[in-house]
């Protein structure tokens, strides 16, 4: 029997019967052989464990990792991140989209294909900030993605825009991170943990007492809910130092992407849901200053007016700021394209139920996404 071993910078073949079993050299050979066997045994067990792994325990099967590697060899891709299936449907059915393979893992489905011959990965996030963040991080961690386009429908807070219009903000913020101030304290009082740098009063607050109604015979009103102060997110960019936090509230979209988006301004969009349900105007595309997100479905006109007056926002949704924050930290260009399905909280002269125009808004969002990718490809080919 012969043993093949490699140790101490040597690689050779030896016949153990020709060695003195008590010599130091023979003992060294056997120790090296045992170490080599142990090394390959550990490697073998590791391969078996990975091969038998399932998504249920957080590990990815080897077949999935191989599929990811194969897909990345054909990259890079534009990642298209979409909240729900009803928003994805019009793109899947678009003549501009050509489908290829699918990779499923971690509860997400990553659809490969092309839009206007540009390589893309489509993925649905699900509702809300957490789902959007998880999905975007998976996309950027596992795939060769050069930029992210996020699209969907949104409520509208801007009185100058209308149902069916598509808004493309330059900045996004998460407006669901608050410091809820103790009753009896006001703007002059330091917030809890403010001195530690955890919270700030720089972004402003909402005073609940300002929205008290149906109260008579009282010169001033109060409310036990007191004040909420808007807070920036803690972020840890890949370009920074791990565990050294930074703070961001208004997250900018990619500058090049926003320049491309400006070329879409004035693009005329669809105005009819069907033969009998139409808007009395033609929706169009607008680049705007700001949009906001929170895991809250906003259907309240008082808060809509407050947040517009406070921050000059246009679309309000439940995912875009989350995608923006992940892309910002991963140093990946990003843009969000949102079609307006309703005036948040109602009150417009138009029919204003979101479910009436959700299909129209979804179609218009996809129209703009396709045109954006076409314009982006034209710019890159120059």
């Amino acid at each position: 029997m012969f043993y093949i071993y490699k140790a101490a910078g040597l690689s050779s073949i030896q016949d153990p019967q020709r060695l003195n079993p008590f010599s130091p050299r023979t003992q060294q050979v056997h120790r090296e052989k045992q170490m080599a066997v142990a090394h390959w045994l550990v490697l073998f067990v590791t391969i078996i464990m990975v091969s038998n792994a399932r998504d249920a325990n957080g590990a990815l099967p080897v077949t999935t990792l191989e599929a990811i590697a194969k897909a990345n060899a054909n990259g890079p891709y534009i990642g298209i991140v979409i909240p729900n299936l009803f928003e994805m449907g019009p793109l899947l059915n678009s003549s501009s989209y050509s489908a290829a393979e699918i990779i499923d893992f971690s509860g997400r489905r990553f659809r490969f294909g092309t839009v206007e011959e540009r390589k893309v990965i489509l993925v649905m996030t699900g509702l809300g900030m957490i789902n959007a963040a998880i999905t975007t991080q998976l996309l950027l961690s596992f795939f060769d993605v050069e930029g992210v386009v996020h699209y969907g429908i949104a409520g509208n807070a801007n009185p100058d825009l209308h149902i069916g219009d598509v808004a493309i903000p330059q900045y996004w913020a998460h407006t669901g991170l608050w410091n809820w101030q103790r009753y009896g304290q006001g703007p002059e009082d330091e917030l809890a943990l403010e001195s530690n740098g955890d919270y700030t009063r720089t972004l402003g607050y909402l005073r609940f007492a300002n929205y008290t109604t149906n109260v008579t015979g009282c010169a001033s009103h109060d409310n036990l809910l007191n004040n909420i102060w808007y807070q920036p997110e803690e972020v840890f960019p890949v370009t920074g130092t791990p565990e050294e936090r930074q703070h961001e509230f208004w997250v900018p979209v990619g500058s090049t992407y926003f320049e491309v988006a400006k070329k879409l301004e004035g693009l005329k969009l669809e105005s009819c849901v069907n033969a009998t349900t139409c808007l009395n105007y033609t929706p169009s595309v607008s680049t705007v200053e700001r949009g906001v997100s929170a895991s809250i479905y906003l259907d309240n006109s008082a808060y809509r007016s407050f947040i517009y007056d406070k921050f000059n926002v246009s679309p309000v949704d439940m995912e875009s700021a989350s995608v923006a924050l992940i892309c910002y930290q991963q140093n990946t260009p990003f843009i969000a394209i949102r079609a307006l399905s309703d005036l948040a909280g109602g009150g417009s002269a138009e029919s204003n139920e979101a479910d009436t125009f959700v299909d129209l808004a979804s179609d218009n969002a996809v129209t703009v996404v396709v045109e954006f990718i076409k314009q982006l490809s034209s710019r890159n080919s120059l």
Side-chain angles (χ1 to χ4, degrees):
M1 179 180 292
F2 291 86
Y3 295 97
I4 301 177
Y5 67 95
K6 182 176 182 180
L10 302 174
S11 180
S12 61
I13 299 177
Q14 295 284 355
D15 181 356
Q17 294 179 5
R18 299 175 61 182
L19 297 174
N20 181 346
F22 301 105
S23 71
R25 178 59 178 161
T26 302
Q27 292 176 2
Q28 180 184 356
V29 168
H30 284 296
R31 283 195 301 270
E32 292 170 350
K33 181 189 72 175
Q34 291 168 350
M35 291 175 62
V37 171
H39 169 78
W40 289 109
L41 180 60
V42 169
L43 181 60
F44 177 77
V45 171
T46 300
I47 292 172
I48 294 297
M49 291 175 65
V50 172
S51 299
N52 292 332
R54 294 294 182 266
D55 285 350
N57 61 16
L60 296 183
V62 169
T63 52
T64 301
L65 294 173
E66 290 174 344
I68 292 171
K70 181 179 178 181
N72 285 336
N74 293 322
Y77 301 89
I78 294 290
I80 303 183
V81 178
I82 310 151
N84 293 293
L85 284 176
F86 71 84
E87 293 157 311
M88 181 186 288
L91 183 54
L92 295 179
N93 295 326
S94 170
S95 60
S96 295
Y97 175 68
S98 178
E101 67 267 25
I102 288 174
I103 300 177
D104 292 337
F105 66 90
S106 298
R108 267 65 180 180
R109 170 160 290 178
F110 297 87
R111 301 170 183 263
F112 292 77
T114 59
V115 171
E116 292 293 318
E117 300 184 356
R118 188 70 175 259
K119 294 177 182 179
V120 298
I121 306 173
L122 277 57
V123 61
M124 190 199 83
T125 67
L127 189 69
M129 298 286 286
I130 293 176
N131 277 326
I134 291 171
T135 306
T136 305
Q137 187 64 65
L138 286 170
L139 174 71
L140 298 183
S141 294
F142 282 91
F143 296 106
D144 182 8
V145 173
E146 61 180 289
V148 170
V149 176
H150 175 58
Y151 81 87
I153 67 169
N156 177 31
N158 185 342
D160 294 330
L161 299 180
H162 305 281
I163 291 172
D165 287 344
V166 171
I168 308 177
Q170 188 174 9
Y171 298 92
W172 285 91
H174 175 210
T175 50
L177 183 59
W178 302 338
N179 184 308
W180 206 318
Q181 195 172 30
R182 183 179 300 180
Y183 178 72
Q185 295 183 345
E188 297 78 18
D189 297 302
E190 185 177 282
L191 300 175
L193 302 180
E194 183 178 348
S195 61
N196 293 344
D198 294 335
Y199 299 102
T200 179
R201 282 173 288 164
T202 60
L203 295 171
Y205 68 103
L206 168 63
R207 182 174 182 262
F208 284 96
N210 291 346
Y211 295 89
T212 304
T213 187
N214 295 327
V215 177
T216 58
C218 182
S220 62
H221 312 300
D222 207 351
N223 192 305
L224 292 174
L225 293 176
N226 201 26
N227 307 317
I228 56 169
W229 291 83
Y230 293 93
Q231 301 298 319
E233 288 279 358
E234 287 189 357
V235 295
F236 300 87
V238 294
T239 53
T241 302
E243 298 183 352
E244 287 188 9
R245 66 182 177 178
Q246 301 176 28
H247 290 90
E248 294 291 339
F249 189 70
W250 294 112
V251 179
V253 303
S255 58
T256 298
Y257 283 14
F258 195 66
E259 288 301 314
V260 172
K262 287 180 179 179
K263 296 181 179 180
L264 307 181
E265 288 185 314
L267 178 68
K268 302 304 181 184
L269 303 170
E270 182 59 57
S271 60
C272 290
V273 177
N274 51 47
T276 59
T277 304
C278 292
L279 298 166
N280 59 6
Y281 55 87
T282 301
S284 62
V285 179
S286 296
T287 55
V288 297
E289 184 180 13
R290 293 170 173 173
V292 295
S293 309
S295 287
I296 302 167
Y297 185 86
L298 176 53
D299 194 23
N300 181 278
S301 60
Y303 189 71
R304 175 196 76 217
S305 297
F306 166 81
I307 208 160
Y308 174 74
D309 293 338
K310 182 71 176 175
F311 295 124
N312 189 35
V313 303
S314 296
V316 291
D317 66 35
M318 301 174 69
E319 296 88 17
S320 295
S322 183
V323 180
L325 282 159
I326 297 298
C327 289
Y328 174 81
Q329 294 182 84
Q330 297 300 310
N331 198 32
T332 301
F334 153 86
I335 199 162
I337 295 168
R338 286 286 184 161
L340 308 177
S341 61
D342 62 288
L343 181 66
S348 71
E350 306 148 3
S351 175
N352 198 56
E353 296 306 314
D355 54 0
T356 302
F357 291 103
V358 66
D359 290 339
L360 173 66
S362 298
D363 288 344
N364 283 351
V366 168
T367 297
V368 177
V369 168
V370 169
E371 188 61 30
F372 174 84
I373 292 176
K374 185 187 301 184
Q375 292 286 340
L376 184 65
S377 297
S378 298
R379 180 188 179 99
N380 290 350
S381 64
L382 295 177

